[in-house]
Amino acid sequence: MNNLSLVKNFPSSFIFGTATSSYQIEGNKYGGCGKSIWDDFARKKLNGIDGLNACNHYEYFEEDIKLIKGLGFNAYRFSFSWPRLFPENNNDINMDGVDFYKRLLDKILESDLEPFPTLYHWDLPVRFSKIEGWENKDTCKRFAEFSYFISQQYGDLFKKIATVNEPWCVSWLSHYLGEHAPGKQNLKSAVSTMHNILLAHGLSVEALKTNNSHEIGIVLNNQYGEPLDQKEENLNATKLFDSIHNRWFSDAIFKGTYPELALSVLGDYLPKNYDNDLIVISHPLKWIGLNYYTRSIIKYHKSEDGINYKTLRGSLKKTDMDWEYFPEGLSYFIKRINKEYNDKIPIYITENGMANDDKLNSKEEVDDDDRIEFFDLHLKEILKCLREGLTVKGYFAWSLLDNYEWAFGYTKRFGLVYVDFDNFNRIPKKSYYEFSKYLI
Ligand code: FCB
């Protein structure tokens, strides 16, 4: 039977935390929150299954912070909701929203947890749809203003802050694959967003710095690409996948360039003076967040737009998302950041976790042994990296609560804590108790 006793082997300075995001847990029918692109997308594409209620963290946040404390964790990663703070327009502030994050941050600090806020975890105010959202550079400028506002309002209450969560999802997944809001399937839109979301990050870094000496980072999601076989066409397809999914974002941030291979298929859609923006995009950062979940098998597949690959699932053990367990990919990317980009930068695993078909048993408990196994396998990889002297400094389990899992609504349970969405009851799962056994 798997257990998490290995957490005892981590250095005492290592940070254990859990991560959430505003739209997935807060419930935007509470506290005067405005509409985001996800409300629109849910109405049009997801049969209206939206985050109106989510976990009602807005009213239950004190209980939720207690739950984190009860785990023995020492950090909490959450995100600010832009439409909660500016529901109607870019100037009129919702004071209930301002007050909510003040109370949340106070509670986090009072509980001796380190706050790790993120400025953008996908809930773009819906009003930006009129100007094509992240396809328009004005949105980047407004994001910088929003960043400045957060820094002024709450800057003394946290040290570390991340600008954007997973720019690949904001751009490719949402504008080329169409799986997330706003659901576009258009290469030109995808490329302009791949660039603009990074520019938004860079402008946000500048805005934050004018106010406070924050330790600023960004959160990237890397996915391991495994060629279907050793045929040359599949090996090349895997390089292209890696170049678009991973290298595009890390090359831009660490080196101020885009990878040649991705440029060969995407370059025509970039704005003419994109080089100038890369200077802003590559401002040095104090830390980097890595979200890691799985791998994809890559197969050559001819496509008119030059995106000549297809992603498949392999035959390893899978989570309820149909994502394979592939823990080796986590240490692979930690190593890659240290060896190829920056050997000093502190790396935080800002998300890692799994969806499981969790059910309450007759004793009203949840036996999520598969999740314990998943955490154990990934934490082992991190220990290996620590032994090699790599700079990984913390690990955030995704997620504290079962929540609104984007295009899958409430059907995928990622939490350490089970949520009954009818009455908002929270029931810690076995994995929760397993962590706390070794951390408290
Ligand atoms: C990540 C997202 C997070 C959650 C997990 C399962 O890509 O950042 O919000 O949905 O996947």
Side-chain angles (χ1 to χ4, degrees):
M1 191 57 84
N2 288 293
N3 62 53
L4 292 177
S5 59
L6 86 171
V7 302
K8 288 187 303 192
N9 304 340
F10 281 76
S12 59
S13 58
F14 192 85
I15 290 195
F16 278 101
T18 181
T20 64
S21 88
S22 47
Y23 192 79
Q24 292 179 277
I25 64 167
E26 286 177 3
N28 72 353
K29 87 171 191 210
Y30 307 97
C33 184
K35 292 268 176 265
S36 84
I37 54 172
W38 269 92
D39 296 290
D40 224 24
F41 185 71
R43 190 167 39 80
K44 290 187 197 142
K45 303 263 173 69
L46 307 174
N47 293 324
I49 311 283
D50 58 21
L52 213 59
N53 278 300
C55 307
N56 190 3
H57 173 73
Y58 183 80
E59 291 178 340
Y60 283 67
F61 77 92
E62 295 196 340
E63 185 178 328
D64 293 339
I65 301 302
K66 258 193 217 141
L67 282 165
I68 303 175
K69 197 66 196 157
L71 268 158
F73 282 179
N74 45 21
Y76 177 41
R77 174 171 180 245
F78 67 97
S79 73
F80 289 107
S81 160
W82 192 351
R84 178 174 299 289
L85 290 161
F86 293 91
E88 301 296 339
N89 57 55
N90 298 322
N91 302 313
D92 294 327
I93 302 168
N94 170 22
M95 289 317 291
D96 286 346
V98 173
D99 180 54
F100 169 66
Y101 290 115
K102 172 80 173 71
R103 286 183 292 134
L104 176 67
L105 276 157
D106 285 347
K107 191 80 207 159
I108 295 171
L109 293 172
E110 211 180 282
S111 313
D112 232 359
L113 298 167
E114 181 175 356
F116 270 68
T118 299
L119 285 164
Y120 184 71
H121 199 129
W122 309 351
D123 39 4
L124 185 67
V126 75
R127 60 182 172 274
F128 287 98
S129 303
K130 283 189 225 121
I131 60 163
E132 305 305 330
W134 292 112
E135 288 174 66
N136 188 327
K137 281 195 180 177
D138 277 351
T139 306
C140 308
K141 292 183 193 144
R142 300 292 85 78
F143 180 60
E145 290 162 10
F146 174 65
S147 308
Y148 184 76
F149 168 83
I150 294 289
S151 176
Q152 272 209 317
Q153 202 55 234
Y154 306 110
D156 297 338
L157 302 178
F158 53 79
K159 268 208 212 104
K160 298 191 186 62
I161 183 161
T163 55
V164 175
N165 181 66
E166 301 189 348
W168 178 86
C169 290
V170 177
S171 50
W172 198 259
L173 184 68
S174 311
H175 295 78
Y176 182 73
L177 299 175
E179 291 173 24
H180 274 190
K184 292 198 179 175
Q185 291 182 307
N186 176 317
L187 189 56
K188 185 169 183 294
S189 303
V191 179
S192 66
T193 343
M194 283 166 89
H195 180 69
N196 286 351
I197 194 65
L198 289 172
L199 177 63
H201 153 78
L203 294 174
S204 168
V205 170
E206 290 181 352
L208 289 167
K209 278 192 179 156
T210 57
N211 188 56
N212 199 319
S213 54
H214 302 291
E215 295 173 18
I216 308 170
I218 186 172
V219 172
L220 303 179
N221 58 317
N222 282 176
Q223 190 164 150
Y224 191 87
E226 178 91 44
L228 178 67
D229 54 31
Q230 294 304 304
K231 273 196 205 135
E232 201 172 331
E233 58 178 21
N234 293 327
L235 293 175
N236 289 337
T238 306
K239 283 192 191 133
L240 181 61
F241 164 86
D242 186 43
S243 192
I244 291 176
H245 195 122
N246 303 312
R247 299 244 185 227
W248 180 272
F249 303 98
S250 26
D251 281 14
I253 280 165
F254 287 112
K255 300 180 176 169
T257 56
Y258 286 133
E260 286 300 325
L261 186 57
L263 276 179
S264 68
V265 284
L266 309 180
D268 286 351
Y269 300 108
L270 280 170
K272 279 203 189 67
N273 58 347
Y274 75 88
D275 270 352
N276 294 342
D277 293 342
L278 278 163
I279 298 168
V280 177
I281 291 170
S282 58
H283 286 318
L285 297 175
K286 282 279 163 44
W287 60 278
I288 188 91
L290 173 60
N291 290 356
Y292 178 79
Y293 287 94
T294 190
R295 70 168 183 178
S296 283
I297 308 287
I298 313 297
K299 180 183 183 330
Y300 172 79
H301 175 81
K302 178 108 192 91
S303 166
E304 275 188 6
D305 58 12
I307 309 303
N308 291 335
Y309 63 80
K310 236 188 177 164
T311 59
L312 311 170
R313 296 282 170 231
S315 55
L316 301 175
K317 178 168 176 171
K318 294 196 180 72
T319 72
D320 201 33
M321 294 293 278
D322 214 26
W323 295 349
E324 288 179 288
Y325 283 46
F326 190 66
E328 301 88 324
L330 178 56
S331 43
Y332 172 84
F333 284 115
I334 293 170
K335 221 170 271 174
R336 179 146 126 178
I337 293 170
N338 269 179
K339 306 261 178 254
E340 295 186 36
Y341 291 108
N342 184 331
D343 61 357
K344 306 251 167 2
I345 194 155
I347 302 169
Y348 290 88
I349 308 310
T350 31
E351 285 181 30
N352 177 239
M354 59 94 80
N356 199 38
D357 186 17
D358 294 321
K359 304 243 181 332
L360 292 176
N361 65 20
S362 55
K363 291 196 261 158
E364 299 278 290
E365 294 165 351
V366 182
D367 295 319
D368 56 341
D369 291 291
D370 285 337
R371 181 170 287 107
I372 294 173
E373 181 191 2
F374 185 94
F375 285 136
D376 177 54
L377 290 169
H378 288 79
L379 288 169
K380 271 194 186 115
E381 293 295 316
I382 296 179
L383 271 181
K384 276 192 220 155
C385 291
L386 285 170
R387 286 192 197 114
E388 284 180 39
L390 304 178
T391 60
V392 55
K393 303 289 182 201
Y395 177 87
F396 290 78
W398 182 272
S399 185
L400 174 65
L401 305 168
D402 293 339
N403 59 41
Y404 179 77
E405 179 42 42
W406 308 113
F408 295 88
Y410 297 95
T411 61
K412 302 294 174 194
R413 294 182 176 271
F414 272 92
L416 290 157
V417 175
Y418 182 93
V419 176
D420 182 333
F421 293 106
D422 292 332
N423 54 25
F424 303 125
N425 276 350
R426 276 105 162 112
I427 301 165
K429 301 177 190 174
K430 191 168 171 185
S431 56
Y432 174 101
Y433 293 114
E434 187 55 31
F435 262 117
S436 65
K437 243 194 235 170
Y438 304 102
L439 285 168
I440 297 264

